[in-house]
Amino acid sequence: RAKEKGRNDFQIFNADMKSVSINRLKLENELRRAIALEEFVLFYQPQVDIETGRIVGVEALIRWNHPEKGLISPNYFISFAEESGLIVPIGEWVLRAACKQNKAWQNQGFSPMPISVNLSMRQFFQHNLKGKISHVLEQTGLDPQYLELEITESMTMDVDHAIQSLLELKELGVHVSIDDFGTGYSSLYYLKKFPIDKLKIDRSFVRDIMVDPNDAAIVTTIIAMTRHLNLKVIAEGVETEEQLHFLHQNRCNEVQGYWFSPPVNAVQLENMLSHGVHAAASG
Ligand code: C2E
Ligand code: MG
Ligand code: MG
Ligand code: MG
């Protein structure tokens, strides 16, 4: 479960607090303030076509611009936000900000590309998700085909509910990908039934492809499977040229990772869109 992953993630607020409950209360209050004052900022990580080396998409990743603590990673507050329900307004902010930014890039003349937004479990199963997303698309003027929503395998465990939600999203014309693929529960039997577009191979498999034959086998098998299921595939966490080469050899479509760029702010991303991801990376 996603919850377990970030169980100890809000320790950053522990130092001056006496009990976990006070700590949580403080974090909750701080997060409420952050929502009200819009203390969040989006960073963007390029997704690169492995054949052409061109940026074909970006993932929007939230950071909390805390007035005293500076930029805080989502690992420190997303799981708490999910537990407390605050993820719903935060997620709405992310969705709106991402659509707005992508539309702005199109207005600036950059080639249209999809922007990926991470959906939380609560968001995915919230009432009238379709209506809410549709409203944001209308408000921002972004064509639905340029919005991609990332869900995780854990959200597909309730198969019927997930299929129903996914079908509604597909009706809108947005794309859907499965994030961190391979790390969660996943029934291959149902995978073919889910109306999804893309699998994102989790970076824990990519990390050791050059040294661990099991990880190499898992990655090549996922890639082959996506080809048979007619899905796109992207490898996360590509950090070295060797990993990139391996993925290319094994016909992975797209890559995302520090080898090309960490998540960057909007201006830096524009620089990469103008001059190419390599030019920007090598200064
Ligand atoms: P994710 O969606 O799997 O995003 C990829 C994470 O991997 C990002 O961490 C990114 O910075 C990191 N990453 C990318 N390339 C590399 C690499 O080559 N090496 C390594 N070691 N790491 C790499 P980030 O931005 O800290 O986000 C962490 C997680 O927080 C995300 O994982 C996602 O699950 C969650 N998250 C981020 N933004 C949002 C959001 O707006 N809403 C929700 N619900 N969750 C979010
Ligand atoms: Mg993601
Ligand atoms: Mg991921
Ligand atoms: Mg992740």
Side-chain angles (χ1 to χ4, degrees):
R1 311 245 338 167
K3 234 180 177 175
E4 282 155 19
K5 195 170 70 179
R7 198 166 36 208
N8 297 317
D9 278 355
F10 21 98
Q11 274 174 356
I12 190 171
F13 291 92
N14 251 339
D16 53 346
M17 304 306 298
K18 281 194 178 126
S19 77
V20 172
S21 58
I22 297 176
N23 182 31
R24 285 171 159 264
L25 195 61
K26 180 175 180 189
L27 179 53
E28 180 162 349
N29 285 335
E30 292 220 15
L31 262 183
R32 285 188 193 283
R33 182 204 60 208
I35 294 165
L37 301 181
E38 301 195 31
E39 289 174 358
F40 301 108
V41 56
L42 289 185
F43 273 37
Y44 307 91
Q45 188 175 35
Q47 301 179 327
V48 177
D49 181 304
I50 210 163
E51 282 296 329
T52 65
R54 296 178 75 99
I55 298 173
V56 289
V58 289
E59 178 172 5
L61 294 153
I62 195 173
R63 275 93 183 89
W64 177 2
N65 195 3
H66 191 282
E68 288 124 39
K69 297 177 171 76
L71 279 189
I72 299 179
S73 146
N75 294 322
Y76 290 106
F77 63 91
I78 287 292
S79 62
F80 178 81
E82 177 85 35
E83 283 172 42
S84 61
L86 292 174
I87 193 67
V88 173
I90 294 173
E92 265 176 48
W93 180 88
V94 170
L95 189 68
R96 183 167 288 105
C99 290
K100 208 165 133 187
Q101 180 62 75
N102 202 16
K103 181 67 183 178
W105 282 328
Q106 293 178 9
N107 289 342
Q108 287 170 53
F110 293 113
S111 308
M113 60 180 178
I115 193 161
S116 303
V117 171
N118 294 280
L119 278 195
S120 72
M121 178 90 88
R122 275 195 203 241
Q123 269 182 298
F124 184 59
F125 288 120
Q126 84 183 280
H127 180 65
N128 195 22
L129 175 65
K130 182 185 175 189
K132 288 190 168 171
I133 293 176
S134 158
H135 183 61
V136 170
L137 289 167
E138 270 166 37
Q139 278 182 323
T140 57
L142 184 70
D143 187 321
Q145 67 174 306
Y146 299 121
L147 175 63
E148 181 170 300
L149 301 170
E150 298 190 2
I151 64 167
T152 58
E153 287 165 279
S154 52
M155 303 185 201
T156 65
M157 282 180 77
D158 183 346
V159 174
D160 293 335
H161 198 162
I163 289 179
Q164 183 54 39
S165 299
L166 288 169
L167 285 173
E168 288 183 15
L169 294 179
K170 295 310 288 183
E171 279 168 16
L172 275 181
V174 302
H175 294 266
V176 178
S177 60
I178 299 202
D179 200 3
D180 305 340
F181 185 77
T183 60
Y185 162 95
S186 151
S187 161
L188 298 185
Y189 173 74
Y190 286 116
L191 192 60
K192 65 176 182 187
K193 298 196 170 202
F194 290 124
I196 53 169
D197 304 282
K198 192 194 262 189
L199 297 184
K200 302 191 72 176
I201 303 174
D202 190 70
R203 73 165 188 264
S204 61
F205 301 113
V206 175
R207 189 181 53 216
D208 294 331
I209 41 179
M210 304 315 295
V211 290
D212 185 337
N214 292 330
D215 284 338
I218 289 168
V219 168
T220 52
T221 303
I222 295 174
I223 295 169
M225 181 180 73
T226 58
R227 209 156 43 236
H228 293 302
L229 293 175
N230 237 330
L231 298 173
K232 291 172 83 181
V233 61
I234 183 166
E236 298 191 275
V238 177
E239 295 185 356
T240 70
E241 196 164 14
E242 290 73 28
Q243 292 167 340
L244 183 67
H245 185 72
F246 177 95
L247 292 161
H248 194 185
Q249 292 273 296
N250 287 283
R251 299 171 62 196
C252 186
N253 304 140
E254 292 177 14
V255 278
Q256 178 178 344
Y258 294 171
W259 172 251
F260 292 101
S261 172
V264 294
N265 67 33
V267 173
Q268 291 170 299
L269 199 276
E270 285 160 25
N271 195 35
M272 283 189 265
L273 290 174
S274 302
H275 304 293
V277 73
H278 289 295
S282 59

